[in-house]
Amino acid sequence: LEDVIVIATTNRPWDIDPALLRPGRFDKLVYVPPPDFNGRKEVLKVLLRGLSYDEGILDELAKRTENFTPADLKALVDEVRRNLFNEALQTKVPRTHVTLEDFLKVLDKVKPSVDPRTLALYEQWKRIRA
């Protein structure tokens, strides 16, 4: 085959067989950390499309979601949307405006999938492979 590019992802890079990391195979390794404060705000903006929210909620949520990956943020927003749906079923009044309180209820259940210890392992692995 010609002009074929293979891209792979893993959350356990230390388990990759060293043979795959030899030249001519997976030559380029890219570490993508969880988004920073501004990155989380941008991800949340996209995920909250179709809902209205108070000014400042993105800043507050970005502060409270340190180490959340985009997938974690999606799980958070999905859970809030489910709660809105269930509320509408009970009250017969649909609501598309979300508040910080809606998120605080869910933040008790939805946690980041990456903890500081694992992030340190990723950083260490990145330094070794660089």
Side-chain angles (χ1 to χ4, degrees):
L1 297 175
E2 293 181 32
D3 300 323
V4 174
I5 297 175
V6 177
I7 299 173
T9 65
T10 182
N11 59 350
R12 298 182 57 83
W14 42 84
D15 287 342
I16 297 173
D17 187 318
L20 290 174
L21 301 175
R22 283 192 219 131
R25 293 176 177 134
F26 287 101
D27 292 334
K28 185 78 173 156
L29 302 175
V30 179
Y31 169 60
V32 180
D36 63 9
F37 178 85
N38 288 323
R40 291 191 302 278
K41 278 177 54 175
E42 291 302 314
V43 170
L44 286 164
K45 253 191 241 180
V46 170
L47 294 172
L48 289 170
R49 283 188 186 144
L51 296 173
S52 63
Y53 46 88
D54 297 326
E55 190 176 328
I57 195 172
L58 293 177
D59 285 335
E60 190 58 35
L61 287 174
K63 273 190 240 174
R64 293 172 183 257
T65 54
E66 179 102 21
N67 293 336
F68 274 58
T69 67
D72 298 332
L73 294 171
K74 182 172 183 336
L76 176 70
V77 172
D78 286 350
E79 189 65 26
V80 168
R81 286 180 184 269
R82 268 190 288 285
N83 287 349
L84 290 177
F85 178 75
N86 289 332
E87 177 186 302
L89 286 176
Q90 292 174 354
T91 65
K92 308 290 189 237
V93 180
R95 180 165 63 100
T96 59
H97 184 82
V98 290
T99 64
L100 183 59
E101 190 62 37
D102 293 317
F103 283 94
L104 294 179
K105 290 176 193 170
V106 174
L107 277 168
D108 287 340
K109 295 183 252 179
V110 179
K111 301 294 182 196
S113 59
V114 181
D115 60 29
R117 186 179 146 271
T118 305
L119 280 174
L121 286 172
Y122 292 151
E123 291 289 339
Q124 179 184 6
W125 190 84
K126 179 180 84 170
R127 282 192 301 276
I128 291 169
R129 301 303 304 172

